[in-house]
Amino acid sequence: MDHFTYIDGELCAEDVRLADIAASVGTPCYVYSAATLERHYRVCDEALAGMRHRICYALKANSNMAVLRLLARLGAGMDVVSEGELRRALAAGVPGERIVFAGVGKTADEMRAALAAGVGQFNVESEPELLALDAVARDMGLRAPVAIRVNPDVDARTHAKISTGKSENKFGVPIARAPQVYALAAGLPGVEIVGVDLHIGSQLTELAPFEAAFRRLAELVDALRAAGHAIRRVDLGGGLGIPYVRSNEAPPLPFDYGAMVRRTVGGLGAEVVIEPGRLIAGNAGVLLARVIYRKQGEGRDFLILDAAMNDLIRPAMYDAWHDLVPVAEPAADAPLAPVDVVGPVCETGDTFARARSLPPIAAGDLVAFRSAGAYGAVMASEYNTRPLVPEVLVSGSRFDVVRSRPTYDEMLRRERIPDWLA
Ligand code: LLP
């Protein structure tokens, strides 16, 4: 459920008309709903009720500082994958012990920053990383709390670019080798074993792959405990999919996911950590855009928007479906016709949708891409020297610009022409 609905014929975010935001901020821009973010966090929390648990929001999905502060105030922990994300989480007020630091390529500098911040868990993905972390921690006179990320060799049955739990993927250590890696870790004075970790992919639309992976994880925990390791936490990663409305995907409900977590790892008596990103932020945001032209091509119509692939890259990168809706509510009996929805960037990849069935939409109209709150603004770029898309947070009847659109002067000022070219 989200809070983007038509009120009196106008698409609103909570109580704010998107048309008012467009008039004040300009388009394209992202609009987030605070009530939806909060609701999604609480749904995750309730899904795990009865188990000791922590929700570490994967802030790669949407790392706007206002979003992070909102979630931090609800008690969220965070899953960070870089020093930049670590700094964001800390600046949002998340205590270090609620932060897990993930990622296949942590540098020594990043490890130092995370240790200094007192992060609660490093998710370590290889033996070389484990040895590097041990060295950095000893150098600082500290012990790094560690979970080894295991690769359970499970097919997540999601898009190949966001599948992570197969043995051919770069992530984690093969689950069969995990006992040896734990034995290695146990002998390192700069490392303290606290748990096990996995993450098998993103936008999963079935429970079965999770269930297979979590069962393997539970067996591993038994084996590790039998070998004398104190496994007090299991980190199950993120990945639960969301409905992209009309794409016919019906992902499992968080409540059913929670029940499955209970039956697979609930009996271990360990603290359960999950790292949802999309589930919290995805349907809490839309990308608001305006139609620049409607153009007739050879046998097809094009809607040319002022938003482009640099603002929302998911359709170009993953063939992702984002529902597109007009901001002015169409009549219930409005005829639908197929149109290609494209941006102004100079490549054919800048296509949001092909032959999409849409009600009449004309030049000048406002439209919104739904389910754009996750992996939208964070993946935006300035390709074609288009200003980085701004972000707006709505709460009730108020809205605030939480990242402003840079000016062209600001964009150009970051670059230098060297003296020899002056
Ligand atoms: N934990 C780890 C270790 C991850 O790598 C990820 C996502 C998550 C948690 C959060 O997954 P989520 O709950 O959001 O599915 N840019 C892609 C998605 C990339 C996901 C990367 N890892 C997209 O737009 O679909």
Side-chain angles (χ1 to χ4, degrees):
M1 202 206 108
D2 62 51
H3 293 74
F4 297 93
T5 51
Y6 288 107
I7 302 175
D8 296 334
E10 287 257 17
L11 189 60
C12 295
E14 303 189 23
D15 301 330
V16 179
R17 297 193 318 201
L18 290 180
D20 290 344
I21 294 176
S24 152
V25 181
T27 52
C29 71
Y30 279 96
V31 180
Y32 309 132
S33 153
T36 311
L37 287 164
E38 176 164 351
R39 183 186 140 76
H40 290 169
Y41 177 80
R42 293 200 190 285
V43 165
C44 290
D45 199 31
E46 282 158 21
L48 299 181
M51 288 176 283
R52 226 162 16 97
H53 67 273
R54 164 107 41 227
I55 294 162
C56 288
Y57 168 64
L59 67 89
K60 62 174 77 69
N62 183 325
S63 56
N64 185 280
M65 286 303 301
V67 170
L68 301 187
R69 172 61 59 86
L70 184 153
L71 294 171
R73 282 187 8 181
L74 296 172
M78 294 201 183
D79 157 32
V80 306
V81 294
S82 67
E83 181 171 348
E85 287 195 350
L86 172 68
R87 286 174 183 251
R88 282 183 182 273
L90 295 170
V94 182
E97 75 264 14
R98 283 194 217 154
I99 297 175
V100 301
F101 189 13
V104 285
K106 302 175 195 78
T107 65
D109 283 345
E110 289 180 314
M111 291 171 176
R112 214 167 279 121
L115 283 164
V119 305
Q121 180 175 309
F122 287 80
N123 290 342
V124 170
E125 303 221 11
S126 65
E127 289 95 332
E129 181 192 338
L130 186 62
L131 296 174
L133 181 58
D134 172 59
V136 173
R138 275 189 288 122
D139 188 50
M140 295 173 75
L142 295 170
R143 289 188 84 188
V146 160
I148 305 294
R149 175 168 177 180
V150 297
N151 186 325
D153 194 19
V154 163
D155 185 353
R157 294 203 282 263
T158 183
H159 192 285
K161 283 186 187 158
I162 52 177
S163 186
T164 54
K166 287 281 289 167
S167 56
E168 71 249 32
N169 300 131
K170 69 182 174 184
F171 298 99
V173 301
I175 195 160
R177 209 168 75 222
Q180 287 147 261
V181 182
Y182 275 89
L184 171 67
L188 301 175
V191 162
E192 181 197 359
I193 295 168
V194 296
V196 291
D197 166 55
L198 58 67
H199 168 80
I200 59 172
S202 195
Q203 185 55 18
L204 271 71
T205 53
E206 308 163 274
L207 281 186
F210 285 122
E211 180 147 11
F214 298 172
R215 287 200 188 285
R216 282 180 203 176
L217 194 73
E219 282 167 23
L220 174 66
V221 170
D222 286 341
L224 293 174
R225 284 178 172 167
H229 303 295
I231 306 296
R232 50 179 202 260
R233 199 181 286 148
V234 291
D235 181 338
L236 305 175
L240 188 55
I242 61 167
Y244 280 88
V245 191
R246 285 190 207 148
S247 62
N248 298 325
E249 285 173 333
L253 298 172
F255 182 81
D256 295 328
Y257 173 89
M260 182 273 294
V261 168
R262 208 166 286 117
R263 70 174 176 265
T264 50
V265 300
L268 296 171
E271 181 185 19
V272 172
V273 172
I274 58 168
E275 304 169 351
R278 193 187 315 262
L279 194 60
I280 289 179
N283 279 321
V286 298
L287 173 62
L288 183 59
R290 197 179 288 282
V291 178
I292 313 175
Y293 299 113
R294 186 165 183 133
K295 159 173 166 172
Q296 264 180 344
E298 192 74 55
R300 53 206 312 145
D301 271 12
F302 294 95
L303 275 187
I304 302 172
L305 308 184
D306 63 0
M309 64 189 291
N310 70 296
D311 304 308
L312 176 65
I313 203 171
R314 302 196 66 259
M317 191 145 172
Y318 315 106
D319 301 310
W321 173 291
H322 284 268
D323 226 18
L324 181 73
V325 290
V327 167
E329 187 172 16
D333 60 352
L336 300 179
V339 279
D340 282 13
V341 183
V342 302
V345 160
C346 307
E347 53 180 287
T348 304
D350 187 22
T351 296
F352 291 113
R354 279 189 193 289
R356 181 73 62 92
S357 256
L358 290 174
I361 297 174
D365 287 356
L366 289 169
V367 293
F369 287 105
R370 287 184 171 277
S371 314
Y375 307 110
V378 285
M379 295 180 82
S381 75
E382 291 181 346
Y383 185 39
N384 277 212
T385 307
R386 293 168 45 86
L388 205 56
V389 56
E391 299 169 273
V392 171
L393 180 65
V394 170
S395 177
S397 57
R398 66 172 297 165
F399 71 90
D400 294 275
V401 175
V402 293
R403 182 175 79 191
S404 56
R405 196 188 311 275
T407 65
Y408 291 110
D409 282 346
E410 283 164 351
M411 291 166 68
L412 295 191
R413 223 181 292 135
R414 293 197 308 251
E415 292 167 38
R416 294 274 173 283
I417 295 171
D419 289 347
W420 63 271
L421 277 173

